[in-house]
Amino acid sequence: MDTALDAQRALTDDELRRLDAYWRAANYLTVGQIYLLGNPLLREPLTPDDIKPRLLGHWGTSPGLNLIYAHLNRVIVARDLNAMLVTGPGHGGPAIVANTWLEGTWSERYHDVARDETGMARLFRQFSFPGGIPSHVAADVPGSIHEGGELGYALSHAYGAAFDHPDLVVACVVGDGEAETGPLAGSWLSNVFLNPARDGAVLPILHLNGYKIANPTVLARVPEADLLDLMRGSGYEPYVVAGDDPSVVHRTLAATMDRALDEIATIQRRARSGGVVERPRWPMIILRTPKGWTGPHEVDGTEVEGTYRAHQVPLSGVRDNPAHLAELERWLRSYRPEELFDATGAPVDELRTLPPRGDRRMSANPVTNGGVVLRDLALPDFGAYGVDVPEPGQPMAGATGVLGPWIRDVIAANPQTFRLFGPDEVASNRLGAAFEVTDRAWMAATVPGDDHLSPDGRVMEVLSEHLCQGWLEGYLLAGRHGVFTSYEAFIHIVDSMLNQHAKWLKVTRAIPWRQPIASLNYLLSSHVWRQDHNGFSHQDPGFIDHVVNKKAEVVRVYLPPDANTLLATMDHCLRSRHYINVVVAGKQPAPSWLTVDEAIQHTRRGLGIWEWASTDDDSEPDVVLACCGDVPTLETLAAADLLRQHLPELKVRLVNVVDLMRLQPDTEHPHGLPDKEFDTIFTPDRPVIFAYHGYPWLIHRLTYRRSNHENLHVRGYKEEGTTTTPFDMVMLNDLDRFHLVIDVIDRVPGLGARAAHLRQQMVDARQAARDYTRRYGEDDPQVAEWRWVRETDPTNP
């Protein structure tokens, strides 16, 4: 390739002039948003009153983003391209807002911000201003699926959006600061999972402007040969565009984009011709331009352009320093706004005709407002997959193993709109039935003996929770559905990513033009109570605590007690919209408590009294045994059985909770129970012994406003763990059946003295169970093989 000749041919002189004018207009609008409160077209000399009192926002990365946006618009028009843009440098918020206003989408979404002088003034005023819009590429910005406030996820979001959108090109700007993060470093290998025959394409653009807030960036300072090798080693063919002369950079970038898109088209054409689909070497662009390009070169005798000082606001004393004010005016006028905007303040005709039209605009592409293209899943009747339960407690069944065939058929019924994501744990979490109809997505080499790897796989497995989360978020934001299955302890790795997605969901609920997307569904298994192969490192149920900190209208947490309830819960979650659903379920064989019909009803209620396990006979109970989670339910039922045998006169009410948020008042969460209903179930004054899957203080937090809170006593995980037997694990945390019986004896008024012998038996039983594990390395069969036996009516055997 003759780079210089190709660059010269890429643009005519007229195209270059128009493209540069568009770039100057976007830069002008960007600077205006950061600084101006009035006088948007500089019809009068700037005065301090024209300047915002608080100068917020970031200039440094913005000119590069404006450059990329303008050039993408050129190729979209030239090729009738279906494209969108993911911008990793979220600090470029004013740049992307400027481009959406230039191409008209901002005014279509926000009618009071028209493309005229008044609208421009409002556009400037609203940016980083009370009652306005955030400084990042937030959900308010048309075309955005990625805010970028927290760095590291741009490329995984871009790949997620490209999955199952075969005609889509996702351009993704990776900032050189973002490129230093672990999640982004892992994201380069996403191309191993992108099938050019059925998926769209991602065009990464690594924008190296050299600096973070106060330091140089690593990839900008390593030898270029090393950088190119890094990209090639990740499966890309990198093309470098570098310079600080706008005309040279325009021509080179135009030629490079043309070449990259030609290569993408060739790759897809070859993959879709019916031959063998192999992993290609995808093009990517490395763009080197100065930080704060076209801004003030020096301020107060100190170099700014091309340094870290251009990162935020290059001129910070504009209101108080006349020299700074004059420099700002020179800066703004350097873009020659009189050539760019007409007498009304609208972009001149030449600029209005440059961007794409309608849905081809990146800010109006329907995929970037995923709810617009979202379609309901075809879901099989989950009842056909349920366990036959002739009696409570029978048979033993692994909940996720029962769910697996249903997930398999969901995949089969939705071959372009549903995927299963997980960090190498799909089979471990007993969802291996999925591999009866699909494989793991895989574009790298295979060798004999590999298990279920193919380019057409619908299971996305990579040993990075960050990648799984980022892919799924992008997939959902682009109008698809999915489930993320993980070991419970290690889902914490994406805590911060969940934060950002929850904020996105919360904000978009209040944006009328944003349509609801499919819910983000977590299925957490291999949980805290069953880590037979592992130990303390794998024992942590705290993700639930993290999730419930988010806004109530966004989060839901479910702990189904058995296989049939898990089926009903997952069916509900896959039908839901705009939530984060966390479902925790075990994979090991466990008792089946409810029939399918009972499970459906129980899931709808969210919690309920299990009459068949209670002995209060519709009267006021002496004690309430409550449970939430499969293992706590097992231990609570076993405790109820012991109480039934040894204290038959004691009136016990057993309550199971599947929807954790039902414990909150209805004033705090949409699923919360009204106080009267809560008191009806849990009583206003009787002891409640609550066995909970996670950290016990969360239950206190959710119920602290309830009238009977002082009588609520919670058992749960208290950070005691090791590699041990299932029953020893619950004993370590005082969640075992014997300890629950002791709690009843200690908490029910008047029971202590007459049940002293039973209490001592329970203490001895705990010790005997501990001794058995230490001697034989497994649980006492009397414990492990315990089964619930329904009490028969002596008058009707």
Side-chain angles (χ1 to χ4, degrees):
M1 172 184 176
D2 186 335
T3 304
L5 182 60
D6 201 54
Q8 189 65 33
R9 291 172 175 169
L11 296 174
T12 67
D13 290 344
D14 185 60
E15 287 171 334
L16 172 60
R17 181 184 57 78
R18 294 174 64 223
L19 197 61
D20 187 71
Y22 198 89
W23 180 49
R24 286 188 285 116
N27 285 338
Y28 180 86
L29 294 169
T30 300
V31 180
Q33 289 176 76
I34 295 173
Y35 283 97
L36 297 186
L37 195 59
N39 195 10
L41 287 171
L42 306 182
R43 298 193 188 280
E44 303 290 339
L46 279 182
T47 69
D49 290 340
D50 296 326
I51 308 302
K52 292 181 177 181
R54 299 170 69 238
L55 299 179
L56 306 173
H58 298 74
W59 165 246
T61 191
S62 293
L65 291 178
N66 286 330
L67 180 78
I68 292 166
Y69 206 107
H71 278 262
L72 285 171
N73 275 346
R74 181 190 74 86
V75 295
I76 291 170
V77 171
R79 298 165 182 261
D80 190 28
L81 204 64
N82 179 19
M84 59 177 284
L85 177 63
V86 174
T87 52
H91 290 322
I96 305 304
V97 170
N99 281 280
T100 64
W101 187 84
L102 271 176
E103 59 191 14
T105 317
W106 191 276
S107 300
E108 292 170 11
R109 301 295 188 218
Y110 306 102
H111 300 303
D112 61 329
V113 187
R115 282 198 294 178
D116 57 23
E117 185 172 4
T118 301
M120 187 188 297
R122 288 174 175 163
L123 185 82
F124 290 176
R125 183 184 185 89
Q126 69 182 8
F127 178 76
S128 288
F129 199 81
I133 63 171
S135 65
H136 296 100
V137 191
D140 311 73
V141 181
S144 172
I145 68 164
H146 173 89
E147 180 156 350
E150 181 178 321
L151 301 179
Y153 316 129
L155 200 52
S156 61
H157 282 165
Y159 274 96
F163 293 143
D164 292 324
H165 282 101
D167 67 334
L168 182 67
V169 174
V170 185
C172 179
V173 183
V174 177
D176 47 0
E178 179 180 33
E180 297 177 5
T181 65
L184 196 287
S187 295
W188 292 114
L189 293 176
S190 295
N191 60 45
V192 174
F193 305 86
L194 187 82
N195 182 346
R198 69 161 188 215
D199 297 325
V202 175
L203 177 60
I205 302 172
L206 177 59
H207 184 208
L208 299 179
N209 58 37
Y211 292 91
K212 305 185 286 284
I213 294 176
N215 286 287
T217 54
V218 173
L219 293 188
R221 294 292 181 90
V222 300
E224 187 165 285
D226 291 353
L227 177 60
L228 296 176
D229 285 346
L230 177 64
M231 293 297 103
R232 290 189 180 111
S234 298
Y236 299 94
E237 186 58 48
Y239 297 104
V240 179
V241 178
D244 59 5
D245 182 333
S247 64
V248 173
V249 173
H250 278 309
R251 291 187 184 277
T252 308
L253 182 56
T256 303
M257 276 198 178
D258 282 340
R259 178 165 187 177
L261 290 167
D262 285 345
E263 290 184 5
I264 287 172
T266 299
I267 288 168
Q268 292 179 333
R269 187 165 53 249
R270 185 184 305 125
R272 297 169 188 182
S273 63
V276 177
V277 179
E278 297 177 329
R279 182 190 180 199
R281 184 173 293 279
W282 294 95
M284 62 89 60
I285 297 172
I286 299 172
L287 176 65
R288 292 184 185 268
T289 58
K291 195 175 187 77
W293 195 16
T294 73
H297 183 69
E298 289 186 356
V299 176
D300 298 333
T302 302
E303 189 176 3
V304 173
E305 183 186 30
T307 76
Y308 67 88
R309 298 179 186 90
H311 182 76
Q312 290 179 311
V313 181
L315 295 161
S316 58
V318 184
R319 270 199 160 199
D320 305 318
N321 187 326
H324 282 201
L325 182 63
E327 178 61 29
L328 173 61
E329 185 164 351
R330 283 193 294 271
W331 177 14
L332 285 164
R333 292 193 185 279
S334 73
Y335 297 119
R336 306 193 297 279
E338 67 279 359
E339 300 175 6
L340 306 174
F341 306 100
D342 64 21
T344 71
V348 297
D349 288 343
E350 191 174 59
L351 297 188
R352 292 166 74 99
T353 59
L354 191 143
R357 303 282 185 168
D359 288 352
R360 281 295 190 246
R361 293 171 297 176
M362 291 186 290
S363 58
N365 192 316
V367 174
T368 65
N369 188 4
V372 172
V373 299
L374 182 66
R375 298 294 179 265
D376 291 343
L377 289 171
L379 294 178
D381 177 7
F382 66 87
Y385 301 79
V387 177
D388 183 27
V389 181
E391 292 288 335
Q394 296 292 339
M396 300 290 284
T400 56
V402 172
L403 179 70
W406 184 74
I407 291 288
R408 171 200 65 202
D409 293 348
V410 172
I411 293 172
N414 302 275
Q416 282 87 42
T417 56
F418 178 86
R419 295 197 186 203
L420 180 61
F421 299 77
D424 194 30
E425 294 160 1
V426 169
S428 175
N429 282 334
R430 306 296 193 267
L431 300 176
F435 299 122
E436 296 172 16
V437 297
T438 191
D439 299 309
R440 298 173 177 90
W442 187 256
M443 293 295 300
T446 59
V447 299
D450 283 342
D451 183 43
H452 288 289
L453 301 178
S454 83
D456 292 319
R458 308 293 299 168
V459 176
M460 311 300 295
E461 279 200 318
V462 60
L463 198 52
S464 166
E465 286 83 357
H466 287 122
L467 269 186
C468 291
Q469 175 85 14
W471 288 345
L472 178 54
E473 287 179 357
Y475 196 59
L476 299 175
L477 288 162
R480 303 302 193 227
H481 304 257
V483 170
F484 182 2
T485 180
S486 174
Y487 282 15
E488 181 185 41
F490 301 129
I491 198 64
H492 268 304
I493 292 170
V494 300
D495 276 3
S496 193
M497 296 184 76
L498 175 137
N499 286 350
Q500 299 303 317
H501 192 72
K503 292 175 189 297
W504 183 278
L505 295 179
K506 186 263 184 187
V507 169
T508 52
R509 280 180 172 272
I511 300 176
W513 55 267
R514 285 279 185 185
Q515 297 300 306
I517 62 173
S519 296
L520 173 54
N521 300 304
Y522 293 98
L523 175 59
L524 308 183
S525 195
S526 300
H527 60 52
V528 59
W529 300 109
R530 293 300 305 268
Q531 282 297 330
D532 303 350
H533 288 280
N534 301 296
F536 197 31
S537 64
H538 285 56
Q539 294 161 350
D540 187 327
F543 187 67
I544 296 173
D545 300 64
H546 178 67
V547 169
V548 299
N549 287 328
K550 306 301 114 185
K551 293 295 289 187
E553 65 263 30
V554 170
V555 296
R556 307 287 185 266
V557 180
Y558 302 97
L559 293 102
D562 67 358
N564 286 339
T565 316
L566 175 60
L567 280 167
T569 299
M570 290 305 298
D571 180 82
H572 166 76
C573 290
L574 288 186
R575 294 180 189 277
S576 69
R577 296 288 183 271
H578 227 68
Y579 296 138
I580 294 173
N581 295 313
V582 178
V583 182
V584 184
K587 65 183 184 182
Q588 304 294 352
S592 301
W593 304 111
L594 304 177
T595 67
V596 169
D597 288 342
E598 290 169 340
I600 292 171
Q601 186 64 26
H602 187 49
T603 302
R604 288 172 177 167
R605 285 194 303 250
L607 60 77
I609 300 169
W610 283 3
E611 296 179 358
W612 50 268
S614 304
T615 58
D616 56 341
D617 296 324
D618 294 326
S619 61
E620 194 74 18
D622 297 314
V623 65
V624 175
L625 294 183
C627 48
C628 183
D630 51 6
V631 168
T633 298
L634 169 63
E635 292 305 309
T636 300
L637 266 294
D641 187 34
L642 288 168
L643 291 170
R644 187 177 62 180
Q645 294 176 40
H646 296 283
L647 296 172
E649 73 284 2
L650 189 71
K651 295 180 179 180
V652 177
R653 175 178 295 173
L654 196 142
V655 177
N656 182 264
V657 178
V658 61
D659 180 350
L660 187 65
M661 311 318 291
R662 296 290 273 167
L663 297 178
Q664 282 195 297
D666 56 346
T667 54
E668 297 295 316
H669 195 282
H671 285 198
L673 279 181
D675 286 334
K676 286 185 177 180
E677 189 174 347
F678 187 92
D679 289 345
T680 298
I681 294 172
F682 289 96
T683 78
D685 55 5
R686 301 305 167 98
V688 179
I689 311 301
F690 201 123
Y692 171 54
H693 172 88
Y695 293 106
W697 40 87
L698 177 60
I699 302 301
H700 287 291
R701 176 183 155 195
L702 296 177
T703 59
Y704 80 97
R705 292 184 177 182
R706 302 297 191 177
S707 58
N708 196 28
H709 180 252
E710 65 179 16
N711 288 319
L712 178 66
H713 310 284
V714 187
R715 294 291 175 185
Y717 182 68
K718 56 182 188 180
E719 210 63 28
E720 294 291 339
T722 183
T723 303
T724 189
T725 65
F727 192 68
D728 192 50
M729 183 64 190
V730 293
M731 284 197 297
L732 284 172
N733 291 276
D734 296 334
L735 187 68
D736 60 280
R737 61 200 66 179
F738 304 127
H739 208 290
L740 295 177
V741 171
I742 291 171
D743 280 339
V744 170
I745 294 170
D746 290 346
R747 303 295 183 183
V748 174
L751 190 57
R754 60 190 178 92
H757 295 285
L758 177 59
R759 192 185 194 285
Q760 181 170 298
Q761 290 177 36
M762 295 298 100
V763 172
D764 293 345
R766 294 188 88 233
Q767 188 60 53
R770 175 67 51 77
D771 292 343
Y772 191 97
T773 64
R774 299 304 184 269
R775 182 173 183 181
Y776 297 106
E778 61 182 358
D779 285 326
D780 186 338
Q782 293 185 56
V783 171
E785 297 173 10
W786 172 86
R787 299 292 182 268
W788 176 267
V789 177
R790 187 190 293 270
E791 185 177 22
T792 58
D793 184 345
T795 63
N796 185 22

